[in-house]
Amino acid sequence: KGMAAPGKAGIPLGVMKVLDPCQLKPDSTETERILTVLDETIFKLEITRLILRIIGSLERYAGMLGPEITSSLLEHQKLSMEIQQLLASPGDEKRMRDAEQRLKCSIRNILRLFLANPLLYHGLKYEVRVRESPADVFIKAFKEFRDFTLERLLTSPDEEKEKIQFMKDISLRVEKNMETISALREELAAVIETRDEEVNRKDKMIENLKTSMEDLAKGCKADITQIMKEGEKQKKEDEIASQDRCVRLKHDILRLGAQFNALVLEHRASELVLRKEKCKVEREILEWVQKYDTDMAAKQATYDKIEAVYNEEKKQLALLMEKHALLIQEYTQIEEERRILKEKAEEAEREEIRRNKAATYIQAIWKGYLVRSIYKSKLKKGKGKGKGR
C-alpha cells in the first residue's frame, strides 16, 4: 500500500533514488564539492599506484608521458633511491627529513602534471599492468566510502524510511507466499497420506472380505459380490475425490508460483530501469569531470601567465627599489650637507650678531669715556678760571 508509482514497476520514487548511490544526483554546491574532493583523491590514489610501475619501465612509456613528466619521474626515482640509502644507513635525521619533504613535493608535482592531462592517465591505465596490492584494497574501500558518503548526503530521512518500509513489505510478501506454499504442500502431503491410509485400510478390508468370502464360498456369493461392488465403488469415489483435491492443490501451487515469478520479473524490470539510469548518470558524471579538468587546465594556464607577468613586474620592482634606495641615500647625504651648511650659516650669523653687540657695547663705552673726558676737561678749566679771579 502506498508504494505504487506510475511507470516505475510499482516502486516508489524515493526508494528508486536510494537503491543505488550512483543513481543519485548532487543537489547542492557543498555536496558537489565534497564529491569532487573524494573523486580527485581516488584519481590521485590510482595515479600513485601506477608511478612505481611506470618508473620501472620509463623508457617504454617516455613517448606517451612527454619530457616534463619523464624528467619529474626521473627526479622522483633519484629521491626514492636516496631515501633507500638513508634508510639503509640511519643516523642523519635532518637529511632524512629534507629528503622526505622533497619526495612529497615531487609526488605533488607529478600528480599536478597528471591532473592537467587526465586522458594520459586513462591511456596508461590500460597499458600498464599492475599486480594486485594492498593499495587496491584501500582504493576499493575508499570508493565504497565515497558511495556511502554520497548516499548519506543525498538520502533524506523520509526517503530512508520509505526504503526501509519498501524492503519490509517485500520481505513480508515473500514470507507470506512461502508460508502459503509450505502450508499447501503440508496439506497436500496430509491428504495423500490420509488417502493412502484409507486405501490401505480398505485394501485390508477387502482382504478380510476375501478371506471371509473363501470361508463362505458358496453360501454367500451374492453377499460377497454386493460387498465387493460397494467396496470398489467406494474406492473409486475416494480415488476420484482424492485426485480432484490433488489437482486443486497443484493448481493453487502453480498459481502461487506464477505470482512469485511475476514478482521476480517485475523486480528485474525495475532493476533494468535503474541500471539504465545508473549508466546515464555515470556518463553525465564523466562529462562533468572532463569539463572540470578542461576548466582547471585553462585556469592553470591563465595562472601561469599571470604568475610570469607578476615575476617580471617583481623584478622591475626590485630594480626600482634599488634605485629608490640609492636616491634615498643621496637625498640623505644632501640633507646632511644642507644641515651642516645651515648650522654654519646660523653659527656665522650668531657670531656676526655677537660681534655687532660687542662693537656696539665698545662704541658705547668709548662714547661714554669721551663724554666723561670732555666733561672732566671742562670742569678743570672752570676750576682754573675761578682761582685766577
Side-chain angles (χ1 to χ4, degrees):
K1 294 181 180 180
M3 296 174 60
K8 298 297 181 183
I11 299 177
L13 181 61
V15 175
M16 290 180 62
K17 287 175 64 180
V18 297
L19 282 176
D20 191 347
C22 295
Q23 297 285 345
L24 301 171
K25 293 183 179 179
D27 56 357
S28 65
T29 305
E30 289 78 7
T31 303
E32 291 179 356
R33 289 175 180 171
I34 293 171
L35 292 180
T36 300
V37 171
L38 293 177
D39 291 337
E40 285 185 357
T41 305
I42 293 171
F43 186 68
K44 290 178 181 178
L45 290 173
E46 292 178 346
I47 292 173
T48 306
R49 188 173 63 94
L50 294 178
I51 287 177
L52 290 177
R53 184 65 176 177
I54 294 172
I55 291 175
S57 305
L58 194 57
E59 296 179 357
R60 177 182 175 186
Y61 304 110
M64 294 177 63
L65 297 172
E68 186 176 4
I69 298 179
T70 303
S71 62
S72 298
L73 290 173
L74 287 172
E75 182 66 23
H76 182 75
Q77 186 179 17
K78 291 179 183 178
L79 290 173
S80 301
M81 294 175 65
E82 181 180 350
I83 288 178
Q84 289 178 1
Q85 292 175 359
L86 291 173
L87 289 173
S89 57
D92 194 347
E93 296 183 357
K94 185 175 183 302
R95 286 185 60 194
M96 175 62 76
R97 288 196 297 270
D98 293 340
E100 290 178 351
Q101 188 64 31
R102 284 186 283 121
L103 185 66
K104 292 177 181 179
C105 293
S106 175
I107 284 288
R108 284 196 293 269
N109 184 44
I110 293 171
L111 291 176
R112 180 180 62 80
L113 294 174
F114 273 101
L115 286 172
N117 190 4
L119 295 178
L120 175 62
Y121 164 71
H122 291 295
L124 288 172
K125 186 168 67 173
Y126 297 103
E127 289 288 336
V128 180
R129 302 296 180 186
V130 182
R131 293 192 298 269
E132 292 187 0
S133 64
D136 295 324
V137 178
F138 178 75
I139 292 172
K140 182 179 179 182
F142 197 85
K143 288 180 179 178
E144 292 176 356
F145 170 72
R146 183 259 185 201
D147 294 337
F148 175 75
T149 303
L150 175 60
E151 181 180 357
R152 297 302 300 171
L153 286 173
L154 299 182
T155 302
S156 65
D158 294 336
E159 291 174 347
E160 185 71 20
K161 292 179 181 178
E162 191 175 359
K163 176 184 175 182
I164 294 171
Q165 186 61 38
F166 174 76
M167 299 305 294
K168 286 182 179 179
D169 292 341
I170 290 295
S171 300
L172 288 174
R173 288 172 65 182
V174 172
E175 282 183 21
K176 187 175 180 181
N177 291 335
M178 293 303 294
E179 289 175 357
T180 305
I181 292 172
S182 300
L184 290 173
R185 286 178 177 172
E186 291 176 359
E187 186 177 353
L188 176 62
V191 170
I192 293 173
E193 184 179 359
T194 303
R195 185 198 64 180
D196 292 340
E197 290 177 356
E198 184 70 19
V199 170
N200 291 331
R201 185 179 63 79
K202 291 183 177 180
D203 287 340
K204 290 180 180 179
M205 184 183 294
I206 292 170
E207 290 296 331
N208 293 329
L209 290 173
K210 285 182 179 180
T211 303
S212 299
M213 285 167 49
E214 289 176 357
D215 295 338
L216 301 174
K218 295 180 181 179
C220 300
K221 282 185 179 181
D223 295 336
I224 291 172
T225 303
Q226 185 66 29
I227 291 171
M228 288 180 67
K229 287 180 179 180
E230 291 178 357
E232 289 292 334
K233 182 179 179 181
Q234 186 65 36
K235 181 180 178 181
K236 288 179 181 180
E237 291 176 355
D238 293 339
E239 288 179 352
I240 292 170
S242 177
Q243 289 175 358
D244 291 339
R245 188 171 183 79
C246 290
V247 169
R248 187 169 62 256
L249 292 174
K250 288 179 179 179
H251 178 71
D252 292 339
I253 291 171
L254 292 174
R255 179 175 56 80
L256 293 172
Q259 291 179 358
F260 179 76
N261 293 330
L263 287 173
V264 172
L265 292 174
E266 179 182 348
H267 294 161
R268 286 179 180 173
S270 302
E271 181 182 3
L272 181 60
V273 172
L274 294 173
R275 287 183 181 277
K276 288 180 180 179
E277 292 182 359
K278 175 184 176 182
C279 294
K280 181 180 178 182
V281 171
E282 288 178 349
R283 286 196 298 271
E284 291 179 356
I285 290 172
L286 181 59
E287 291 175 358
W288 278 106
V289 169
Q290 292 175 353
K291 182 179 178 182
Y292 171 79
D293 293 337
T294 304
D295 293 343
M296 291 305 295
K299 290 181 180 179
Q300 183 66 35
T302 305
Y303 172 78
D304 293 338
K305 291 180 181 178
I306 294 173
E307 187 178 13
V309 174
Y310 168 75
N311 292 331
E312 184 64 26
E313 292 180 352
K314 189 176 180 181
K315 291 179 182 177
Q316 295 178 2
L317 179 61
L319 293 174
L320 293 174
M321 291 297 291
E322 291 177 359
K323 293 180 180 180
H324 181 265
L326 293 175
L327 292 173
I328 290 294
Q329 186 176 1
E330 292 177 359
Y331 175 77
T332 304
Q333 291 177 356
I334 292 170
E335 286 293 322
E336 183 65 22
E337 292 175 357
R338 287 179 178 176
R339 185 183 63 79
I340 292 171
L341 291 174
K342 185 178 179 181
E343 288 179 355
K344 288 181 178 180
E346 290 176 353
E347 182 66 25
E349 185 178 357
R350 287 194 296 272
E351 183 66 24
E352 183 68 23
I353 293 170
R354 190 166 55 252
R355 287 178 181 177
N356 291 334
K357 286 182 178 181
T360 303
Y361 183 70
I362 291 169
Q363 288 176 359
I365 293 173
W366 177 250
K367 287 180 179 180
Y369 174 73
L370 290 176
V371 170
R372 285 194 299 274
S373 296
I374 294 168
Y375 183 71
K376 284 180 181 181
S377 62
K378 286 181 178 183
L379 287 176
K380 286 180 180 181
K381 288 180 179 182
K383 288 180 180 181
K385 287 179 180 182
K387 289 179 179 180
R389 289 174 182 172

